[in-house]
Amino acid sequence: MERDHHLRVQTTRARRLPVVVVGLGPIGVEVAQLLLARPELFRFVAAVDRAPEIAGRPLREVLGDAAPRGRIRPAAPAAPRGQALAFLTTTSSVRSVAATIRELLGFGYHVVSSTEELSYPSLRAPRLAAALDRAAREASRCVVGTGINPGFAMDVWPLVLASNMQTLERVQVTRVVDAAKRRRTLQLKVGAGMSRREFEALAQAGRIGHVGLVESCAHLAAALGWELERVHESLRPKVATRRIRTEHVEVPAGRVCGIIHRALGYVGRRALVELDLQMYLGAKDARDDVRLEGTPPLRCTVPGGFHGDRTTAAQLLSAAARVDGFQPGLHIASDLPTPRRPGPRLKLSLIDGNRGQ
Amino acid sequence: MERDHHLRVQTTRARRLPVVVVGLGPIGVEVAQLLLARPELFRFVAAVDRAPEIAGRPLREVLGDAAPRGRIRPAAPAAPRGQALAFLTTTSSVRSVAATIRELLGFGYHVVSSTEELSYPSLRAPRLAAALDRAAREASRCVVGTGINPGFAMDVWPLVLASNMQTLERVQVTRVVDAAKRRRTLQLKVGAGMSRREFEALAQAGRIGHVGLVESCAHLAAALGWELERVHESLRPKVATRRIRTEHVEVPAGRVCGIIHRALGYVGRRALVELDLQMYLGAKDARDDVRLEGTPPLRCTVPGGFHGDRTTAAQLLSAAARVDGFQPGLHIASDLPTPRRPGPRLKLSLIDGNRGQ
């Protein structure tokens, strides 16, 4: 049987959401460039960075030719009338961004942020999270932290897959990233080139490793209804067994070439959640992998893995399109509507439809 | 570095949603048994089937010992006060379930249904869909059709993955099911044992093959903002090259052992959506596979594939937990909150949290 169905399309044009980008590090630049490429959905209002070496520079110099004329501002302007949104892509801790979030809410913006701790803010800052939730409600705006990791690969994605489970005993997520293929700052962030001793000192001080792993663990458990008592976190160096040279760094054998960062979430002696993040130069078999134990057992793999910066920017835009019109408050990503690529809303019907009506 | 984080749990107990199951075919029985296994979340009110051979039978005879005493009813009772929900698991077309949906709305129920065409109801029945949407709004209730396929594997799941894409050129979904491992009705539904001529006659009459493939194609395109002009559907028999015997059927070589069902969604001459469903006895490399072409390219695989009946029941329960409290109306699955396994809502915090606050 072969059949052609002809379709009628009804379009509800999406409102163009006015947006600002606050923080022009690698993620902020990626987000700004991505939204400039989708002018039908987002209206670029301003890019903001208070760092003296960035504020005042021409937008096009930093963001490319798709940017409008004008300069990077040292502070966000008040939001245009109606709903507007700020992408906040500055730092990692809830505490470090709280004042900026309050300011942006006061200016009339929703806030979608790559701040890692904001992906599950009640973990480390429950009182501050409650205060930001109140501030967001009072301003009738949404605040949410997301990205690929934390945000999607180790939290929303396994949660979505878990919707298929009749019973669920255990969640295991493995992310393996070949850091040699990523930007310089990431290679340094995973300790490439350090001695083991330097690495261990920074690890103890919480100044190296992935930010957000314990957040993902808590996010998963909370959304699954699992009353975790304890998360055991370990951060170990991956040591180069031979000299590794990338575009950005050179690591002799015996020095650190990356991280093996794990979080195990326990109820009693049972580890119900296991998150395993391996990011090192030359990692083989890069992938994102979810295993759900239960009925029916489920495994899901993304060969090659989600690309960190590309997908973080995409996740931020996707969240932006979904907070517009959503109930005000400080949310976690899994509380938002179903993830999708932002776009106009269509309705499709068969031209020969309405059979028998 | 090794570190233990001790957690404090704050539970918001989920309200137990009163539910009825309407239609006790394989999916209805699976749904009823699954919700009886989660009494902390769902309060079983009644099971309904108007077929004379089922109505009046003891619940425990059909649903097992977890069912309460009582009998299967021929019609749904009025809903208990407050929000209540009906799982509707009877037939495949919007037209065939519309009257029952109106009745259930009138009785005070939300409706979550496995009716395949209801997964994207405006495709074949735009006026009826609009009328059901009005009826649901007037009743302050939700209606949604979902399941594993249509519902998840070829629509919500690729849409969720597409949230990672900066640009998206093409979506390709492949589902390969070894029908030999599935129930008898499915083996017959895919034509096992027929001659090619019998198959082709039934295919032309629309009485064989997967219901919902064109719905998934339209759902995907509509949610991605792609103005499809045409869907080309093909349904071909898979012919046994040797004798195949299963628990339920025997197929000689040369007879049909299943289907190869495809839908291609076009804008002009470009096929932007390609859905490929292969369900036949002895299919090798069973899997669900999504390929997204664009930036960054993304491939995702579930080796072995989503289990049809198990996951359809799980998807229906997941949708039920998410329509409770959602805005009234007739929805498609991707309009609901992010999929998850239903459960209580928790909030987790570090006992040593509130650093510096």
Side-chain angles (χ1 to χ4, degrees):
Chain A
M1 184 275 286
E2 306 259 344
R3 192 170 290 153
D4 271 315
H5 304 277
H6 294 276
L7 299 172
R8 177 186 292 121
V9 180
Q10 193 186 323
T11 308
T12 313
R13 195 167 295 282
R15 207 164 45 74
R16 286 178 75 211
L17 190 65
V19 290
V20 300
V21 179
V22 179
L24 290 181
I27 298 296
V29 169
E30 184 102 18
V31 165
Q33 289 174 334
L34 183 54
L35 64 90
L36 286 166
R38 304 205 69 191
E40 75 285 11
L41 297 174
F42 298 99
R43 182 161 72 80
F44 178 87
V45 174
V48 177
D49 201 305
R50 69 178 181 192
E53 65 276 24
I54 302 180
R57 284 174 62 190
L59 285 170
R60 291 188 179 171
E61 193 182 294
V62 177
L63 302 179
D65 290 344
R69 291 180 196 285
R71 293 180 180 274
I72 293 167
R73 297 183 186 222
R81 275 158 190 268
Q83 308 253 317
L85 184 140
F87 292 101
L88 176 60
T89 49
T90 53
T91 52
S92 297
S93 77
V94 177
R95 211 178 138 211
S96 66
V97 294
T100 307
I101 290 174
R102 285 177 192 279
E103 188 180 64
L104 290 167
L105 288 170
F107 279 164
Y109 294 103
H110 297 289
V111 180
V112 170
S113 178
S114 60
T115 295
E116 288 91 337
E117 286 185 10
L118 201 66
S119 68
Y120 196 77
S122 68
L123 180 77
R124 296 183 201 268
R127 285 197 295 260
L128 187 50
L132 289 174
D133 183 48
R134 281 193 302 275
R137 287 169 198 263
E138 281 163 17
S140 294
R141 292 293 182 271
C142 292
V143 178
V144 67
T146 192
I148 191 65
N149 188 27
F152 189 82
M154 290 188 156
D155 19 44
V156 166
W157 186 48
L159 285 172
V160 168
L161 287 167
S163 67
N164 292 298
M165 304 299 289
Q166 295 201 355
T167 67
L168 184 59
E169 313 296 335
R170 193 159 184 279
V171 175
Q172 192 183 349
V173 188
T174 304
R175 177 163 166 81
V176 179
V177 177
D178 179 3
K181 294 179 179 162
R182 298 286 305 278
R183 60 184 151 88
R184 182 170 174 277
T185 46
L186 184 108
Q187 296 181 8
L188 298 178
K189 200 180 90 170
V190 299
M194 288 180 188
S195 71
R196 290 178 193 224
R197 176 173 294 193
E198 289 169 309
F199 182 97
E200 187 58 33
L202 287 172
Q204 285 295 344
R207 290 177 54 204
I208 197 168
H210 173 67
V211 181
L213 201 66
V214 183
E215 276 75 5
S216 292
C217 194
H219 186 165
L220 264 179
L224 290 168
W226 287 350
E227 303 192 355
L228 287 194
E229 295 160 4
R230 182 169 63 93
V231 176
H232 182 78
E233 182 186 14
S234 68
L235 174 58
R236 297 201 183 85
K238 176 80 179 178
V239 176
T241 52
R242 51 174 186 76
R243 174 174 302 267
I244 304 173
R245 188 184 309 214
T246 77
E247 195 187 335
H248 307 298
V249 295
E250 188 167 332
V251 179
R255 305 281 284 195
V256 174
C257 65
I259 61 171
I260 298 177
H261 200 162
R262 289 205 174 99
L264 293 171
Y266 286 88
V267 173
R269 292 179 157 207
R270 293 184 54 222
L272 301 187
V273 181
E274 179 177 343
L275 305 182
D276 183 355
L277 176 64
Q278 305 179 26
M279 296 179 94
Y280 55 90
L281 305 179
K284 302 285 178 230
D285 195 17
R287 67 190 185 279
D288 281 275
D289 209 66
V290 174
R291 279 170 196 266
L292 303 177
E293 289 178 21
T295 311
L298 186 57
R299 206 185 119 212
C300 189
T301 302
V302 173
F306 298 111
H307 186 290
D309 294 353
R310 296 292 105 76
T311 56
T312 288
Q315 286 298 334
L316 292 171
L317 262 71
S318 172
R322 290 177 289 137
V323 301
D324 186 21
F326 195 65
Q327 65 197 62
L330 171 64
H331 301 292
I332 55 175
S334 63
D335 283 339
L336 295 184
T338 301
R340 60 161 72 195
R341 195 173 130 75
R345 295 274 171 136
L346 309 182
K347 194 169 271 187
L348 302 182
S349 310
L350 294 186
I351 285 176
D352 55 356
N354 278 311
R355 302 176 311 194
Q357 291 172 64
Chain B
M1 181 276 285
E2 307 260 343
R3 191 171 291 152
D4 272 315
H5 304 277
H6 294 275
L7 299 172
R8 175 186 293 121
V9 180
Q10 192 186 324
T11 307
T12 312
R13 196 166 294 280
R15 207 165 44 76
R16 284 179 76 212
L17 189 64
V19 289
V20 299
V21 179
V22 179
L24 290 181
I27 298 297
V29 169
E30 184 103 18
V31 166
Q33 290 174 333
L34 183 53
L35 63 91
L36 286 166
R38 305 205 69 189
E40 75 285 10
L41 296 175
F42 297 98
R43 181 160 74 79
F44 177 87
V45 173
V48 177
D49 200 306
R50 67 178 181 192
E53 66 276 21
I54 303 180
R57 285 175 61 190
L59 284 170
R60 290 188 180 172
E61 196 181 293
V62 177
L63 301 179
D65 290 345
R69 291 179 196 286
R71 292 180 181 274
I72 292 166
R73 299 183 185 222
R81 275 156 189 269
Q83 308 254 316
L85 183 139
F87 292 101
L88 176 60
T89 50
T90 53
T91 52
S92 297
S93 76
V94 176
R95 211 178 137 209
S96 66
V97 295
T100 307
I101 290 174
R102 283 177 192 280
E103 189 180 65
L104 291 167
L105 289 170
F107 280 165
Y109 294 104
H110 297 289
V111 180
V112 171
S113 178
S114 60
T115 295
E116 287 92 336
E117 286 185 10
L118 202 65
S119 69
Y120 196 76
S122 68
L123 181 75
R124 294 182 204 269
R127 285 197 295 257
L128 187 50
L132 289 173
D133 183 47
R134 281 192 302 274
R137 287 169 196 262
E138 281 162 17
S140 294
R141 293 291 180 272
C142 293
V143 178
V144 67
T146 191
I148 191 66
N149 188 29
F152 190 82
M154 289 187 157
D155 19 44
V156 166
W157 188 48
L159 285 172
V160 168
L161 289 168
S163 66
N164 292 298
M165 304 299 288
Q166 294 202 355
T167 67
L168 183 59
E169 311 296 335
R170 194 160 185 277
V171 176
Q172 190 182 351
V173 188
T174 304
R175 176 162 167 81
V176 180
V177 177
D178 179 2
K181 295 180 179 160
R182 298 287 303 278
R183 58 184 152 89
R184 181 170 173 277
T185 46
L186 184 107
Q187 295 180 9
L188 298 179
K189 200 179 90 172
V190 299
M194 289 180 188
S195 71
R196 290 180 193 222
R197 179 173 294 193
E198 290 169 307
F199 183 96
E200 187 58 32
L202 288 172
Q204 284 296 344
R207 290 176 54 204
I208 198 169
H210 173 67
V211 182
L213 201 66
V214 183
E215 275 76 5
S216 292
C217 195
H219 186 163
L220 265 179
L224 290 169
W226 287 349
E227 304 192 356
L228 287 195
E229 294 160 6
R230 182 170 62 95
V231 177
H232 182 78
E233 184 185 13
S234 68
L235 175 58
R236 299 200 180 85
K238 177 79 180 180
V239 176
T241 52
R242 50 174 188 78
R243 175 173 301 267
I244 304 174
R245 188 182 310 215
T246 76
E247 194 185 337
H248 307 299
V249 295
E250 188 166 330
V251 178
R255 306 280 284 194
V256 173
C257 65
I259 61 171
I260 297 177
H261 201 160
R262 289 206 174 99
L264 293 172
Y266 286 89
V267 173
R269 296 180 152 204
R270 291 185 57 220
L272 301 187
V273 181
E274 180 176 343
L275 306 182
D276 183 355
L277 176 64
Q278 306 179 26
M279 297 180 92
Y280 55 90
L281 305 180
K284 302 284 177 232
D285 194 17
R287 67 190 185 280
D288 281 275
D289 210 66
V290 173
R291 279 170 195 267
L292 303 177
E293 290 178 20
T295 311
L298 185 58
R299 206 185 117 211
C300 188
T301 302
V302 173
F306 298 111
H307 186 290
D309 294 355
R310 294 295 104 76
T311 55
T312 288
Q315 286 298 334
L316 291 172
L317 263 72
S318 172
R322 290 176 288 137
V323 301
D324 187 21
F326 194 66
Q327 65 197 61
L330 171 65
H331 301 292
I332 55 174
S334 62
D335 282 339
L336 295 184
T338 301
R340 57 159 77 194
R341 195 174 130 73
R345 296 273 172 136
L346 309 181
K347 195 169 270 189
L348 302 181
S349 309
L350 295 185
I351 286 175
D352 55 355
N354 279 311
R355 303 177 310 195
Q357 289 174 65

